[in-house]
Amino acid sequence: MTTTDHVRAPLHERIATFPWPFPARHYRYSTNVEPALQQTRTSAGSWGGRIIDIDGDYHDELRQRAAILHADPTRHAVLPHMVPATWDAMLLVMRELAADYPDSMHLQQGDDGSWTWRNDLLGRQHTFVVGDESTLPTSPLLYIGQQVQEDLVLLDQREEHLWGDAGLVTFAADWSMNFDVGMSFLQIHGPVPRVHEEGIIPRAEQFLMRLQPGQPYRRTNWTMSVGHRLDTSTETYPEWGRDRRLLNRDDIGHRLHLRVEVQHLLRLPGSGCILFLIRSYMMSLEDLATVPEWRAGLASVLQELPQDMVDYKGLTRYRDDTVAWLHAAG
């Protein structure tokens, strides 16, 4: 499947539930963490009532994930000491799905301690015993990760720091799970401008280490991508990097997309690790511009964005043309 073959959910649905990331008409890095499960109003609708979001792109995005994993199994990485946490994460995700989508997702514990999971959307059902991988067709993180649209990262907490020691990430925005696995939280965020000088990453790490089970939090992040391509990992840079160089003014409206990540942060009750869920949403500028407040807001954010942040987000070549296009679209 090419990056142009996706079968999308209807535009009105995508606009109504799009997680607009800009509360103001300027942007700076911040922890911007808030309690999860709060419905957030936008100029076009609302988002955020669930931790795991199943929408009209569900089957398409899972097909993309399966193809990526088939081509590159290293997108799934688990250090040996994190195996118990992967079971913990799988059960938490299953519980969330069963609670929020009871018509299609079902989790039941048997009298013998085994569990039965049924996903009617995918026609899957398995009975498994926690800790016994022979009772699942794949490892726990791989099993549940192929049934949600979110990427999953597991952070271990030791030596007074967090460590990215496991994950299943097929839709990374210019980073690599396989490269980052085993790194500390501070090392993972090393390339991001301003956040170290301003102490944002150490504060974020301290906040995360105080998370309690049953108290989920979330934040948003954003960037821009050429083409509707969720997989912009460093592994595939030769494929998508050239798109930035070839973008021209006439293509901006339909080829350039605002990409927004909704990141959920949850302390796992059994292992004590932190589950980091990353759901990526994309909208072309011509679709986004149908909401006047979004068109004007994005133009203002991009125009005011400091140059080092423009460079880091890969916007240098087309920032000015994009601002001009957004103004003209009004």
Side-chain angles (χ1 to χ4, degrees), residues 53-312:
D53 184 24
I54 293 178
D55 61 19
D57 293 327
Y58 182 70
H59 290 92
D60 176 60
E61 290 184 10
L62 293 188
R63 282 192 293 268
Q64 293 182 57
R65 171 159 289 162
I68 292 166
L69 287 168
H70 178 75
D72 184 5
T74 68
R75 306 297 186 90
H76 169 240
V78 178
L79 297 186
H81 68 280
M82 295 296 285
V83 171
T86 63
W87 287 97
D88 203 6
M90 184 184 77
L91 278 176
L92 185 147
V93 170
M94 287 177 171
R95 290 188 178 106
E96 291 291 331
L97 288 169
D100 285 340
Y101 305 95
D103 292 340
S104 55
M105 305 288 179
H106 313 274
L107 180 65
Q108 185 175 4
Q109 187 171 21
D111 294 336
D112 61 354
S114 65
W115 295 83
T116 298
W117 168 250
R118 193 172 90 239
N119 179 337
D120 294 337
L121 295 180
L122 299 178
R124 296 186 184 183
Q125 178 172 325
H126 288 98
T127 297
F128 60 89
V129 176
V130 172
D132 184 353
E133 286 199 15
S134 70
T135 58
L136 283 178
T138 62
S139 63
L141 203 61
L142 197 56
Y143 180 74
I144 198 60
Q146 294 184 89
Q147 299 183 58
V148 295
Q149 290 158 269
E150 286 78 4
D151 284 321
L152 304 92
V153 176
L154 287 169
L155 303 174
D156 191 21
Q157 185 168 327
R158 63 182 187 276
E159 302 171 4
E160 300 184 357
H161 288 287
L162 297 173
W163 304 80
D165 286 348
L168 191 160
V169 180
T170 57
F171 303 142
D174 204 5
W175 63 284
S176 165
M177 180 69 229
N178 186 47
F179 180 79
D180 286 356
V181 68
M183 287 188 178
S184 71
F185 189 78
L186 299 179
Q187 290 170 332
I188 290 171
H189 292 89
V192 184
R194 297 182 178 237
V195 294
H196 298 280
E197 298 89 337
E198 298 173 13
I200 293 171
I201 296 303
R203 289 200 304 274
E205 183 178 43
Q206 290 300 312
F207 174 84
L208 290 174
M209 290 195 293
R210 294 193 295 270
L211 277 182
Q212 297 299 311
Q215 296 179 355
Y217 279 78
R218 73 180 182 211
R219 67 183 298 272
T220 58
N221 192 22
W222 70 276
T223 188
M224 302 194 78
S225 297
V226 179
H228 185 269
R229 184 189 182 105
L230 285 168
D231 178 19
T232 53
S233 62
T234 52
E235 287 90 343
T236 57
Y237 179 79
E239 300 171 26
W240 56 266
R242 63 174 179 262
D243 293 339
R244 290 179 175 177
R245 298 189 295 273
L246 297 176
L247 183 69
N248 61 57
R249 293 182 182 183
D250 295 334
D251 291 338
I252 282 177
H254 69 274
R255 293 197 66 206
L256 192 58
H257 290 65
L258 177 64
R259 175 184 179 129
V260 179
E261 295 178 351
V262 177
Q263 305 171 352
H264 278 92
L265 311 159
L266 306 97
R267 175 77 70 178
L268 297 175
S271 63
C273 293
I274 292 173
L275 175 60
F276 188 40
L277 294 167
I278 309 166
R279 176 65 194 282
S280 298
Y281 302 82
M282 301 187 71
M283 184 166 291
S284 70
L285 292 199
E286 62 184 10
D287 290 342
L288 183 149
T290 64
V291 182
E293 294 86 350
W294 292 358
R295 176 189 53 75
L298 182 58
S300 177
V301 165
L302 293 178
Q303 192 164 25
E304 193 274 341
L305 200 66
Q307 189 61 46
D308 59 341
M309 296 174 68
V310 170
D311 295 340
Y312 174 71

Side-chain angles (χ1 to χ4, degrees), residues 4-22:
T4 58
D5 290 335
H6 310 311
V7 179
R8 304 301 315 283
L11 176 60
H12 68 90
E13 291 181 10
R14 290 185 281 118
I15 288 177
T17 58
F18 189 72
W20 180 248
F22 304 118

